[in-house]
Every structure is written in structure tokens, then in C-alpha cells.
């Protein structure tokens, strides 16, 4: 008797874009009252990329998407949907996803943006996975693209040193696979709307004043992050009848090395199985997970068949996880 197959969202391609301009901690220290030592010790960040004028959210998202399509061997006409996670869109509308659609020539797709701050990529995976399994599309681009340098308050040293710009994209394809075959095994999404005041942007195009700046109570976010991320990881493990030992790689949102290490310790995951790029990219919000995932796939650490757990937390608060077999 042939084995029963199930429809899954399989990661078929991945691409990234990082702005040309790299800004070191020492260069940040020329601009604000900080030091390389403080930033490195408290966050693990050593440098970040800052976008030039032409490197908009749509431009970077398109470049990352081109990479995802090329590695998947899929032409733009075959993309059914484009889901783009960002807090720094080119315009309030049309969505940045639709701009990306136009630049790619993905004429048979529909596109929309999602707003879930640093958890945006995980939210995008959750939505795309459900749509692929429901048969609403066969190939979906999920993109995280951010230009936080445009919303940073360079008079606030407590936040401006923490973020960077960049984009990452994956192409998810619906495939009928065996139980132990590849694909997204679970996604879990959460938010807590009583915590909107600890990480936010103090303005928007819908506000009477003006587009604003990022504001954060770092200590409060930190306190919630380790607990909520560890519980998100445990939730994913329990839902899949797994323990931390079964996970080949944890690819966390890259906000702060101390948060990443704290979650790893809580779960008993050795550092060698945790992908860290916060030192090179700083916190790129919705782009941080695909940027880290791409690096570990491209350098050969993440291999076909392995179990990879993604987790993120951000403004909202929003948080969640996605478990996938490569
Ligand atoms: O993407 C998801 C959202 N973001 C996060 O997950 C970030 C969560 N929070 C954090 O990562 C940390 O709370 C920070 C990195 C933001 C701050 O680290 P901390 O260890 O919590 O530092 P702190 O805010 O308690 O500040 C300690 C000291 C303060 O000086 P005093 O009051 O002790 O004299 C700050 O004024 O460090 C000072 N400080 C700085 N000094 C040099 C704050 N920012 C800087 C800076 N350079 N850039």
C-alpha cells in the first residue's frame, strides 16, 4: 500500500538583500553618546547596514524575492501571492507587496502587507502556510523588509544603536509529501494588546501630527521577551511531540544576543545549534529571521531533512514560532 501523503508548505527558495552601507559601532559613537564596548556587551551587535535613498522597503524586498525565486527555480508568473511583513512601508498604500509584485512582474499574484513588527515574518509564514494547504495558491513569497533607519530617533541612544536595515524572502511551495517529508509542521501566533506602550512608533500617516519615531522601554521588552519566547518554543515542541533535543537549529529573531542566549539556556539548547547574526545585522525586525536562516543555509550549517525552529517577538507585543523540516 502506498504511503499517505499530506499537503505541506515547503521552503523552496530563499534570498536576501542588505544595503551597501555598513555602519560600525565606532561610527555610531561618532554620532551619539555611546561606545563600541557598551553596544557589544549589552547587545552583541557590532555593526548594522543603513539603507541609501534608493534602497527602499520595496526595492530591498524585490531584490530578496528575486533571490528566493532564483534558488527555487520559479518564474515570477507562477507566484500566486506575495505577503510582505514590514513596519516601514514605502507608502501607507498601495502595499509594499504590490510594489514588489510590479517590479518582479509577478502578474498572476495578489499581494498584501502585514503589520506585526518584529514577528511579521513568522506571521507571514503562518498565513502563507494556511493558504497553501487550503489550495489558494501553489507558490507564495513571504518577505520581511525593513528600513528602520528612517524611524530611528538618533537623539535616543537607548534605541538608535539597536536596529539596522535589510530584507529576506522565502518562496513557499505547496507539495504533497510523506509524514517525515519537508515543510512547515506548525506555526503559533500570539499578541497581547495590553502591552502596546512598551514598544511602538509614536506616529503614523493616520495621526494628526506626523510619521514618528521608534520608542521602546528596553528593560520591559527584555523581561517579557525571554519568558514569552521560551514559552513559544515549548508550545511548538509540545504540539509536535518533540523535545529541545530533537531540534537541529534554533533560528531566533535577532534583537539582542543576551535574549537569544537566555532563551537557549532556558531550553537547554547548546549555543552551537543556535544561529546568531545580530552581530552583523543588528535588529532588522521582520527581516531578521530570513536573513539569519539564509546565512545558515548558504554556509551549509542547515541541511536538508533537519528540523529548524524559528521564533520572534516584537512590538504589540506580538510573538510566535514556526517549526519546519528542511
Ligand atoms: O525586536 C524586539 C524588541 N527589542 C528588544 O528585544 C530589545 C529588548 N531590550 C534590550 O535589548 C535591552 O534592554 C537594551 C539593550 C535596550 C538595554 O540594555 P539594558 O542592559 O537593559 O540597559 P538599560 O536600559 O538598563 O541601561 C543601562 C545604562 C543606563 O545608564 P544608567 O542609568 O545605568 O547610568 C543607560 O542610560 O546604559 C545606558 N545606555 C547607554 N550607554 C551607552 C543606554 N543606551 C546606551 C548606549 N550607550 N547606546
Amino acid at each position: 500500500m502506498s504511503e499517505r501523503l499530506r499537503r505541506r508548505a515547503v521552503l523552496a527558495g530563499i534570498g536576501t538583500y542588505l544595503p551597501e552601507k555598513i555602519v560600525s559601532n565606532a561610527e555610531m559613537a561618532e554620532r551619539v553618546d555611546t561606545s563600541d564596548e557598551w553596544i557589544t556587551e549589552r547587545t552583541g551587535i557590532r555593526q548594522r547596514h543603513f539603507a541609501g535613498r534608493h534602497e527602499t522597503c520595496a526595492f530591498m524586498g524585490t531584490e530578496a524575492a528575486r533571490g528566493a525565486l532564483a534558488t527555487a527555480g520559479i518564474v515570477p508568473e507562477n507566484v500566486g501571492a506575495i505577503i510582505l511583513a514590514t513596519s516601514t512601508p514605502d507608502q501607507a498604500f498601495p502595499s509594499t507587496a504590490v510594489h514588489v509584485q510590479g517590479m518582479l512582474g509577478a502578474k498572476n499574484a495578489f499581494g498584501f502587507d502585514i503589520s506585526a513588527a518584529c514577528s511579521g515574518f513568522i506571521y507571514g509564514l503562518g498565513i502563507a502556510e494556511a493558504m497553501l494547504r487550503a489550495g489558494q495558491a501553489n507558490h507564495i513569497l513571504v518577505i520581511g523588509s525593513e528600513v528602520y533607519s528612517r524611524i530611528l530617533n538618533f537623539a535616543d541612544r537607548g534605541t538608535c544603536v539597536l536596529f539596522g536595515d535589510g530584507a529576506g524572502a522565502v518562496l513557499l511551495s505547496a507539495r504533497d509529501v510523506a509524514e517525515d517529508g519537508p515543510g512547515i509542521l506548525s506555526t503559533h501566533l500570539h499578541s497581547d494588546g495590553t502591552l502596546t506602550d512598551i514598544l511602538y512608533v509614536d506616529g503614523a500617516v493616520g495621526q494628526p501630527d506626523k510619521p514618528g519615531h521608534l520608542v521602546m522601554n528596553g528593560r520591559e521588552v527584555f523581561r517579557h521577551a525571554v519568558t514569552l519566547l521560551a514559552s513559544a518554543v515549548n508550545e511548538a515542541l509540545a504540539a509536535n511531540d518533540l523535545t529541545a533535543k530533537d531540534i537541529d537549529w534554533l533560528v531566533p529573531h535577532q534583537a539582542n544576543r543576551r535574549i537569544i542566549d537566555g532563551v537557549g539556556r532556558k531550553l537547554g539548547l547548546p549555543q552551537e545549534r543556535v544561529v546568531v547574526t545580530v552581530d552583523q545585522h543588528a535588529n532588522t525586525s521582520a527581516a531578521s529571521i530570513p536573513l539569519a536562516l539564509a546565512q545558515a543555509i548558504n554556509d551549509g550549517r542547515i541541511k536538508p531533512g533537519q528540523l529548524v525552529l524559528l521564533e520572534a517577538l516584537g512590538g504589540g507585543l506580538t510573538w510566535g514560532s514556526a517549526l519546519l523540516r528542511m
Side-chain angles (χ1 to χ4, degrees), residues 140-211:
I140 300 184
L141 275 168
V142 180
I143 306 168
S145 184
E146 302 278 19
V147 275
Y148 265 50
S149 59
R150 316 258 210 257
I151 56 165
L152 291 176
N153 175 2
F154 285 94
D156 177 12
R157 66 178 183 170
T159 54
C160 71
V161 301
L162 305 176
F163 295 88
D165 302 336
V170 294
L171 193 274
L172 296 179
S173 296
R175 280 189 208 150
D176 293 320
V177 300
E179 169 68 32
D180 61 354
I184 295 181
L185 303 180
S186 68
T187 60
H188 290 90
L189 311 179
H190 298 280
S191 63
D192 182 345
T194 66
L195 296 171
T196 52
D197 60 343
I198 62 173
L199 177 51
Y200 60 97
V201 175
D202 63 354
V205 288
Q207 295 278 345
D209 298 327
K210 33 100 231 208

Side-chain angles (χ1 to χ4, degrees), residues 25-46:
N25 288 347
E27 287 168 281
M28 287 302 289
E30 287 167 15
R31 208 165 162 179
V32 290
D33 179 19
T34 188
S35 64
D36 176 37
E37 195 191 2
W38 190 95
I39 301 170
T40 308
E41 249 174 42
R42 301 284 175 132
T43 71
I45 295 164
R46 294 189 176 276

Side-chain angles (χ1 to χ4, degrees), residues 32-35 38-39 42-43 45 117-119 148 156-163 199 216-223 225 229 253-259 283-285 312-315 317:
V32 290
D33 179 19
T34 188
S35 64
W38 190 95
I39 301 170
R42 301 284 175 132
T43 71
I45 295 164
C118 299
S119 312
Y148 265 50
D156 177 12
R157 66 178 183 170
T159 54
C160 71
V161 301
L162 305 176
F163 295 88
L199 177 51
M216 176 167 74
N217 180 337
R219 275 188 202 180
E220 272 301 290
V221 176
F222 195 109
R223 194 168 68 78
L229 287 171
H253 168 51
Q254 308 284 318
N256 184 323
R257 178 80 209 224
R258 284 156 55 213
I259 296 176
N283 182 346
T284 56
S285 192
L313 172 134
L317 290 184

Side-chain angles (χ1 to χ4, degrees), residues 295-320:
Q295 191 173 96
I297 291 174
N298 293 338
D299 68 18
R301 274 179 290 170
I302 295 182
K303 297 181 179 62
Q306 289 188 329
L307 271 182
V308 179
L309 186 54
L310 317 176
E311 44 90 333
L313 172 134
L317 290 184
T318 55
W319 68 99

